[in-house]
Amino acid sequence: MRGWMGKFRSLFLFGALTLILSGCGVDNLSALKPKGYGAELLLDLMIISIAIMIFVFVIVMAIYAFVLIRYKQKKGQENLIPKQTEGNKALEVIWTVIPIILLLVLAVPTVQATFDLADTSGQDDENAITIDVIGNQYWWHFNYAGQEIATSQELYIPTGERVYLNMKSSDVIHSFWLPSIAGKMDTNPGENINSMYLEAYEEGVYWGHCAELCGPSHSLMDFRVIAVSPDEFDQWVEDMKNVDPEATPETASAQEGQELFNNNCMSCHAIGGSSAGVGPNLTNFGNREKIAGIMDPSKENLVDWITNPDEIKPGNQMPANIVSKEEASKIADYLLQLKHSDVGTDVPTRNTDE
Ligand code: HEC
Ligand SMILES: [Cu+2]
């Protein structure tokens, strides 16, 4: 016997699904809440295509329901053969012409947007900001062309301005995906460079992901884009250019950490400059939102990372146990005080307005 639960089962299912899916619209990570030019263009296209789909669906369902009801077999008509019609010029013209119109309505803005988003010719302007993006298993490197500065994992950009990205990969194919500001683009190994641009409307910290399955830690290959006002951006560039990689830290523990770091870690990591080594550039590390793109920046997490990175990001290229836990703790003191620029530290983070 089906109880009242049974009768309402599908209603429950739909209700639960709605609740789960409503979690998809996270601020600063969602294509449905655009905060930049590309994302806005793409959302408009989604709305047009969904509107057309709903229009077609409703008309087809209405005709379907009409035929079902109007031509239902009635009592006493079991052997009745309805009037047979073959071909109808007017109807055939209508159902050929309407889809053509709908396809045009869909095609014109789609083709326009495609060319618009692919137009990176603005980077030839000498004042344009261009950034070389390099995807690595499982971290991102951002090299500011002509500026001799670089960041890893966190990309700083000015708001209200087009910033051009030229992308490639150092190993396998990755995909740079920043849903709330722009679309997504593959980074390929080899000579093939893909270009796109970002234009953020408001200050904020925007979340990006790698969107191409690239290995066991693919799902942990996150990055941030920090959009600040153009003035603050210029300040940030100044700060980054004036980094002194040799600066002596204040505490004794951090000083020991600095020496340990220089002896054990500098072969892969850089502080200051624009080099992309085997590992991320750690300039301004103390102001990072995340460690390795995914962990909150606590000392405990950092020590865990330094002693056994593979436990946190399986398959990544940093070796475990280079230093002891005590040494790692001193290195953590050193790294966490690397604050080279406070630009962006007051920018509202994701979800603060929810
Ligand atoms: C063989 C090269 C190599 C050596 C040596 C190395 N690392 Fe790494 N390190 C990496 C790579 C590669 C990553 C990126 C891992 C990832 O996120 O996939 C990384 C990531 C990190 C991160 C996270 C960076 C970020 O952007 O959030 C920290 C911190 C770090 N390493 C510290 C150290 C310290 C401290 C040492 C020395 C004890 C060290 N590394 C030695 C290659 C190396
Ligand atoms: Cu990837």
Side-chain angles (χ1 to χ4, degrees):
M1 202 182 82
R2 275 157 64 99
W4 64 278
M5 281 278 286
K7 281 200 195 121
F8 288 103
R9 188 183 291 157
S10 50
L11 204 66
F12 279 136
L13 261 176
F14 269 115
L17 211 62
T18 315
L19 281 181
I20 292 168
L21 289 179
S22 64
C24 294
V26 176
D27 224 39
N28 291 3
L29 178 64
S30 172
L32 301 179
K33 294 181 182 173
K35 303 268 178 71
Y37 180 77
E40 196 170 46
L41 216 60
L42 293 175
L43 181 62
D44 288 347
L45 285 182
M46 283 189 239
I47 291 173
I48 295 180
S49 36
I50 289 172
I52 290 179
M53 281 186 256
I54 291 175
F55 173 74
V56 171
F57 183 79
V58 167
I59 302 244
V60 170
M61 282 301 134
I63 296 173
Y64 176 62
F66 170 77
V67 171
L68 266 188
I69 295 163
R70 172 73 180 71
Y71 296 103
K72 191 173 184 288
Q73 192 181 62
K74 299 188 180 73
K75 271 230 165 78
Q77 295 185 341
E78 282 79 7
N79 296 319
L80 185 84
I81 297 194
K83 187 180 149 225
Q84 301 296 296
T85 315
E86 249 174 61
N88 181 318
K89 269 229 178 79
L91 274 180
E92 274 171 35
V93 168
I94 289 174
W95 69 55
T96 310
V97 169
I98 290 182
I100 290 178
I101 293 173
L102 291 182
L103 283 181
L104 282 177
V105 172
L106 198 57
V108 171
T110 304
V111 172
Q112 250 170 9
T114 306
F115 279 93
D116 189 352
L117 291 177
D119 179 14
T120 53
S121 58
Q123 66 175 307
D124 298 336
D125 188 296
E126 57 179 302
N127 293 323
I129 299 170
T130 56
I131 298 162
D132 296 324
V133 177
I134 301 153
N136 308 275
Q137 281 169 323
Y138 302 94
W139 57 283
W140 295 91
H141 190 72
F142 306 107
N143 198 346
Y144 290 70
Q147 302 271 27
E148 301 292 310
I149 59 176
T151 61
S152 295
Q153 319 282 30
E154 293 184 354
L155 170 64
Y156 284 71
I157 60 169
T159 54
E161 206 171 312
R162 285 196 182 173
V163 174
Y164 297 90
L165 306 182
N166 295 317
M167 316 206 226
K168 63 177 183 175
S169 164
S170 71
D171 35 50
V172 299
I173 301 176
H174 302 279
S175 190
F176 177 98
W177 186 32
L178 189 63
S180 60
I181 300 291
K184 147 176 96 176
M185 186 153 279
D186 278 9
T187 68
N188 296 313
E191 297 306 305
N192 185 355
I193 291 185
N194 283 340
S195 300
M196 71 186 282
Y197 60 82
L198 306 178
E199 186 181 335
Y201 292 150
E202 30 183 296
E203 294 186 25
V205 178
Y206 302 97
W207 281 40
H209 285 293
C210 177
E212 179 73 48
L213 187 58
C214 59
S217 286
H218 157 69
S219 66
L220 305 174
M221 199 171 151
D222 295 359
F223 59 94
R224 305 280 173 289
V225 171
I226 298 162
V228 295
S229 72
D231 286 346
E232 284 179 302
F233 179 76
D234 291 343
Q235 180 60 48
W236 178 80
V237 171
E238 268 318 293
D239 292 345
M240 292 293 282
K241 278 184 176 168
N242 291 323
V243 169
D244 174 9
E246 315 275 286
T248 310
E250 278 171 22
T251 68
S253 167
Q255 285 167 13
E256 283 180 56
Q258 181 178 34
E259 200 173 330
L260 286 164
F261 183 83
N262 288 344
N263 293 337
N264 295 289
C265 321
M266 272 303 211
S267 52
C268 294
H269 293 286
I271 293 167
S274 62
S275 70
V278 177
N281 187 309
L282 300 179
T283 314
N284 205 21
F285 184 80
N287 283 326
R288 290 273 191 82
E289 270 232 338
K290 297 280 173 184
I291 297 170
I294 49 170
M295 278 184 301
D296 287 333
S298 69
K299 184 172 169 187
E300 201 189 342
N301 283 343
L302 184 52
V303 171
D304 281 350
W305 171 267
I306 296 171
T307 45
N308 197 353
D310 207 60
E311 191 135 292
I312 294 157
K313 271 190 176 176
N316 87 82
Q317 307 294 316
M318 175 162 152
N321 301 317
I322 307 174
V323 291
S324 71
K325 197 149 188 161
E326 276 141 56
E327 290 170 321
S329 161
K330 289 173 187 164
I331 297 178
D333 285 339
Y334 168 58
L335 291 178
L336 288 172
Q337 57 84 53
L338 289 175
K339 300 189 175 183
H340 298 112
S341 172
D342 53 15
V343 170
T345 49
D346 57 346
V347 161
T349 334
R350 166 176 108 123
N351 292 340
T352 43
D353 55 345
E354 278 190 339

Coordinates of all heavy atoms in Angstrom, one line a residue, residues 136-139 152-153 217 220 260-261 264-269 278-282 285 288 290-293 302 305-306 309 313 316-319 322-323 328 331-332 335, ligand 1:
N136 N 50.6 24.3 -14.2 CA 51.6 23.2 -13.8 C 50.8 22.2 -13.0 O 49.8 22.6 -12.3 CB 52.7 23.7 -13.0 CG 53.4 24.9 -13.6 OD1 54.3 24.7 -14.3 ND2 53.0 26.1 -13.2
Q137 N 51.2 20.9 -13.0 CA 50.6 20.0 -12.1 C 51.0 20.4 -10.6 O 52.2 20.2 -10.4 CB 51.0 18.6 -12.4 CG 50.2 18.0 -13.6 CD 50.8 16.7 -14.0 OE1 52.0 16.5 -14.1 NE2 50.0 15.7 -14.4
Y138 N 50.3 20.9 -9.7 CA 48.9 21.3 -9.8 C 48.8 22.7 -9.2 O 48.2 23.0 -8.2 CB 48.1 20.4 -8.9 CG 48.2 19.0 -9.4 CD1 49.2 18.1 -8.8 CD2 47.5 18.5 -10.4 CE1 49.3 16.8 -9.3 CE2 47.6 17.2 -10.9 CZ 48.6 16.4 -10.3 OH 48.8 15.1 -10.8
W139 N 49.5 23.6 -9.9 CA 49.6 25.0 -9.5 C 49.7 25.9 -10.7 O 50.0 25.5 -11.8 CB 50.7 25.2 -8.5 CG 52.1 24.9 -9.0 CD1 52.6 23.6 -9.2 CD2 53.1 25.8 -9.5 NE1 53.8 23.7 -9.7 CE2 54.2 25.0 -9.9 CE3 53.1 27.2 -9.6 CZ2 55.3 25.6 -10.4 CZ3 54.3 27.8 -10.1 CH2 55.4 27.0 -10.5
S152 N 52.4 33.3 -7.9 CA 51.9 32.0 -8.2 C 50.6 31.9 -7.4 O 50.4 32.5 -6.4 CB 52.9 30.9 -7.7 OG 54.1 31.0 -8.5
Q153 N 49.7 31.1 -7.9 CA 48.4 30.8 -7.3 C 47.4 32.0 -7.2 O 46.2 31.8 -7.3 CB 48.5 30.2 -5.9 CG 49.6 29.2 -5.7 CD 49.3 27.9 -6.2 OE1 48.6 27.7 -7.1 NE2 49.9 26.8 -5.6
S217 N 45.5 15.1 -8.6 CA 45.1 16.3 -7.7 C 44.5 17.4 -8.6 O 44.5 18.5 -8.2 CB 46.4 16.8 -7.0 OG 46.7 16.0 -5.9
L220 N 42.2 19.8 -7.0 CA 42.8 20.6 -5.9 C 43.6 21.8 -6.6 O 44.3 22.5 -5.9 CB 43.7 19.8 -5.0 CG 43.0 18.6 -4.4 CD1 44.0 17.8 -3.6 CD2 41.9 19.1 -3.4
L260 N 67.4 27.9 6.6 CA 66.9 26.6 6.2 C 66.3 26.6 4.8 O 66.5 25.7 4.0 CB 65.9 26.0 7.2 CG 66.6 25.6 8.6 CD1 65.5 25.4 9.6 CD2 67.3 24.3 8.4
F261 N 65.5 27.6 4.6 CA 64.8 27.7 3.3 C 65.8 27.9 2.2 O 65.7 27.3 1.2 CB 63.8 28.9 3.4 CG 63.0 29.1 2.1 CD1 61.8 28.3 1.9 CD2 63.4 29.9 1.1 CE1 61.1 28.4 0.8 CE2 62.6 30.1 -0.1 CZ 61.5 29.3 -0.2
N264 N 67.5 24.6 1.5 CA 66.8 23.4 1.1 C 65.7 23.6 0.1 O 65.3 22.6 -0.5 CB 66.1 22.8 2.4 CG 67.1 22.3 3.4 OD1 67.7 21.3 3.2 ND2 67.2 23.0 4.5
C265 N 65.3 24.8 -0.1 CA 64.1 25.0 -0.9 C 64.3 25.9 -2.1 O 63.5 25.8 -3.0 CB 63.0 25.5 0.0 SG 62.9 24.9 1.6
M266 N 65.4 26.7 -2.1 CA 65.5 27.7 -3.2 C 65.8 27.0 -4.5 O 65.6 27.7 -5.6 CB 66.7 28.6 -2.8 CG 66.3 29.8 -2.0 SD 65.0 30.8 -2.8 CE 65.4 32.4 -2.2
S267 N 66.1 25.7 -4.6 CA 66.4 25.1 -5.9 C 65.1 25.1 -6.7 O 65.1 25.1 -7.9 CB 66.9 23.7 -5.7 OG 66.1 23.0 -4.8
C268 N 63.9 25.1 -6.0 CA 62.7 25.0 -6.7 C 61.8 26.3 -6.5 O 60.9 26.6 -7.3 CB 61.8 23.8 -6.2 SG 62.5 22.2 -6.6
H269 N 62.0 27.0 -5.4 CA 61.2 28.2 -5.2 C 62.0 29.5 -5.3 O 63.2 29.5 -5.0 CB 60.6 28.1 -3.7 CG 59.6 27.0 -3.6 ND1 58.4 27.0 -4.1 CD2 59.7 25.8 -3.0 CE1 57.7 25.9 -3.8 NE2 58.5 25.1 -3.1
V278 N 60.7 25.1 -10.5 CA 59.9 23.8 -10.5 C 58.7 24.0 -9.6 O 57.7 23.4 -9.8 CB 60.8 22.7 -9.9 CG1 60.0 21.4 -9.8 CG2 62.0 22.5 -10.8
G279 N 58.8 24.9 -8.6 CA 57.7 25.2 -7.7 C 57.3 26.7 -7.8 O 57.9 27.5 -8.4
P280 N 56.2 27.0 -7.0 CA 55.6 28.3 -7.1 C 56.6 29.4 -6.5 O 57.4 29.1 -5.7 CB 54.4 28.2 -6.1 CG 54.1 26.8 -6.0 CD 55.3 26.1 -6.3
N281 N 56.4 30.6 -7.0 CA 57.1 31.8 -6.5 C 56.4 32.2 -5.2 O 55.2 32.3 -5.2 CB 57.0 32.9 -7.6 CG 57.8 34.1 -7.2 OD1 57.7 34.6 -6.1 ND2 58.6 34.6 -8.1
L282 N 57.2 32.4 -4.1 CA 56.6 32.6 -2.8 C 56.6 34.0 -2.4 O 56.4 34.3 -1.2 CB 57.2 31.7 -1.8 CG 57.2 30.2 -2.1 CD1 57.9 29.4 -1.0 CD2 55.7 29.7 -2.2
F285 N 54.0 35.7 0.3 CA 53.4 34.4 0.7 C 52.5 34.7 2.0 O 51.4 34.1 2.1 CB 54.4 33.3 1.0 CG 53.8 32.0 1.3 CD1 53.3 31.2 0.3 CD2 53.7 31.6 2.6 CE1 52.7 30.0 0.6 CE2 53.1 30.4 3.0 CZ 52.6 29.6 2.0
R288 N 48.9 35.5 1.4 CA 48.1 34.6 0.6 C 46.8 34.2 1.3 O 46.8 34.0 2.5 CB 48.9 33.3 0.3 CG 50.0 33.4 -0.6 CD 49.6 33.3 -2.1 NE 50.8 33.2 -2.9 CZ 51.4 32.1 -3.2 NH1 51.0 31.0 -2.6 NH2 52.5 32.1 -3.9
K290 N 45.4 31.3 0.6 CA 45.4 29.9 0.8 C 46.9 29.4 0.6 O 47.7 30.1 0.0 CB 44.6 29.2 -0.3 CG 43.1 29.5 -0.2 CD 42.4 28.7 0.8 CE 40.9 29.1 1.0 NZ 40.3 28.4 2.1
I291 N 47.1 28.2 1.2 CA 48.4 27.6 1.0 C 48.2 26.5 -0.1 O 47.2 25.8 0.0 CB 48.9 26.9 2.3 CG1 49.2 27.9 3.3 CG2 50.1 26.1 2.0 CD1 49.4 27.3 4.7
A292 N 49.0 26.5 -1.1 CA 48.9 25.6 -2.2 C 47.6 25.7 -2.9 O 47.1 24.7 -3.5 CB 49.2 24.1 -1.7
G293 N 47.0 26.8 -2.8 CA 45.7 27.0 -3.5 C 44.5 26.5 -2.8 O 43.3 26.8 -3.2
L302 N 50.7 24.9 7.2 CA 51.9 25.1 6.4 C 53.0 24.0 6.8 O 53.6 23.5 5.9 CB 52.5 26.5 6.6 CG 53.7 26.9 5.8 CD1 53.5 26.6 4.4 CD2 54.0 28.4 6.1
W305 N 52.1 20.9 5.2 CA 52.4 20.9 3.8 C 53.9 20.7 3.6 O 54.3 19.8 2.7 CB 52.0 22.2 3.1 CG 52.5 22.3 1.7 CD1 53.7 22.9 1.3 CD2 51.9 21.8 0.6 NE1 53.8 22.8 0.0 CE2 52.8 22.1 -0.5 CE3 50.7 21.0 0.3 CZ2 52.5 21.7 -1.8 CZ3 50.5 20.7 -1.0 CH2 51.3 21.0 -2.0
I306 N 54.8 21.4 4.3 CA 56.2 21.3 4.1 C 56.7 19.9 4.4 O 57.6 19.4 3.7 CB 57.0 22.3 4.9 CG1 56.6 23.7 4.5 CG2 58.5 22.2 4.8 CD1 57.1 24.8 5.4
P309 N 53.8 17.1 1.5 CA 52.8 17.7 0.6 C 52.0 16.6 -0.2 O 50.9 16.9 -0.6 CB 53.8 18.4 -0.4 CG 55.1 18.0 -0.1 CD 55.2 17.4 1.2
K313 N 48.2 16.9 -1.6 CA 47.9 17.0 -3.0 C 48.7 15.8 -3.6 O 49.8 15.9 -4.1 CB 48.5 18.2 -3.6 CG 47.6 19.4 -3.7 CD 48.2 20.5 -4.5 CE 47.3 21.7 -4.7 NZ 48.0 22.8 -5.4
N316 N 51.8 15.5 -6.5 CA 52.4 16.8 -6.8 C 53.9 16.7 -6.8 O 54.5 15.7 -6.3 CB 51.9 17.9 -5.9 CG 52.7 18.0 -4.6 OD1 53.7 18.6 -4.6 ND2 52.2 17.4 -3.6
Q317 N 54.6 17.7 -7.4 CA 56.0 17.6 -7.6 C 57.0 18.0 -6.5 O 58.2 17.9 -6.6 CB 56.4 18.5 -8.8 CG 55.6 18.2 -10.1 CD 55.8 16.9 -10.7 OE1 56.9 16.4 -10.8 NE2 54.7 16.2 -11.0
M318 N 56.4 18.3 -5.3 CA 57.3 18.7 -4.2 C 57.6 17.5 -3.3 O 56.7 16.8 -2.9 CB 56.6 19.8 -3.4 CG 57.4 20.1 -2.2 SD 57.0 21.7 -1.5 CE 57.4 21.5 0.2
P319 N 58.9 17.2 -3.1 CA 59.3 16.0 -2.3 C 58.9 16.2 -0.8 O 58.9 17.3 -0.3 CB 60.8 15.9 -2.5 CG 61.2 17.1 -3.3 CD 60.1 18.0 -3.6
I322 N 61.9 16.8 3.3 CA 63.2 17.5 3.0 C 63.8 18.0 4.3 O 65.0 18.0 4.5 CB 63.0 18.7 2.0 CG1 62.2 18.3 0.8 CG2 64.3 19.3 1.7 CD1 61.9 19.5 -0.1
V323 N 63.0 18.4 5.2 CA 63.4 18.9 6.5 C 62.6 18.2 7.6 O 61.6 17.7 7.3 CB 63.2 20.5 6.6 CG1 64.2 21.2 5.6 CG2 61.8 20.8 6.3
A328 N 60.7 22.6 9.8 CA 59.6 23.0 9.0 C 58.9 24.2 9.7 O 58.4 25.1 9.1 CB 58.6 21.9 8.7
I331 N 60.8 27.3 9.2 CA 60.6 27.8 7.9 C 59.2 28.4 7.7 O 59.0 29.4 7.1 CB 60.8 26.6 6.8 CG1 62.2 26.1 6.9 CG2 60.4 27.1 5.4 CD1 62.4 24.9 5.9
A332 N 58.2 27.8 8.4 CA 56.9 28.3 8.4 C 56.9 29.7 9.0 O 56.2 30.7 8.4 CB 55.9 27.4 9.1
L335 N 58.2 32.0 6.2 CA 57.4 32.2 5.1 C 56.1 33.0 5.4 O 55.7 33.9 4.6 CB 56.9 30.8 4.5 CG 58.0 30.0 3.8 CD1 57.4 28.7 3.3 CD2 58.7 30.7 2.7
Ligands
HEC1 C1 61.8 19.6 -6.2 C2 61.3 20.9 -6.1 C3 60.8 21.4 -4.7 C4 61.5 21.6 -3.6 C5 63.0 21.2 -3.3 C6 60.6 22.2 -2.6 N1 59.4 22.5 -3.2 FE1 57.9 23.4 -2.4 N2 56.8 23.1 -4.0 C7 57.2 22.5 -5.2 C8 56.1 22.4 -6.1 C9 56.1 21.7 -7.4 C10 55.0 23.0 -5.4 C11 53.6 23.1 -6.0 C12 52.8 21.9 -5.5 C13 51.3 22.0 -6.0 O1 50.6 22.9 -5.5 O2 51.0 21.1 -6.8 C14 55.4 23.4 -4.2 C15 54.6 24.1 -3.3 C16 55.1 24.7 -2.1 C17 54.3 25.5 -1.2 C18 52.9 26.0 -1.5 C19 53.1 27.2 -2.4 C20 51.9 28.0 -2.7 O3 51.9 28.6 -3.7 O4 50.9 28.1 -1.9 C21 55.1 25.9 -0.2 C22 54.8 26.8 1.0 C23 56.4 25.2 -0.4 N3 56.3 24.5 -1.6 C24 57.4 25.2 0.5 C25 58.6 24.5 0.3 C26 59.6 24.5 1.3 C27 59.6 25.2 2.7 C28 60.6 23.7 0.8 C29 61.9 23.3 1.5 C30 61.9 22.6 2.7 C31 60.2 23.3 -0.5 N4 59.0 23.8 -0.8 C32 61.0 22.5 -1.4 C33 58.5 22.0 -5.4 C34 59.5 22.0 -4.5

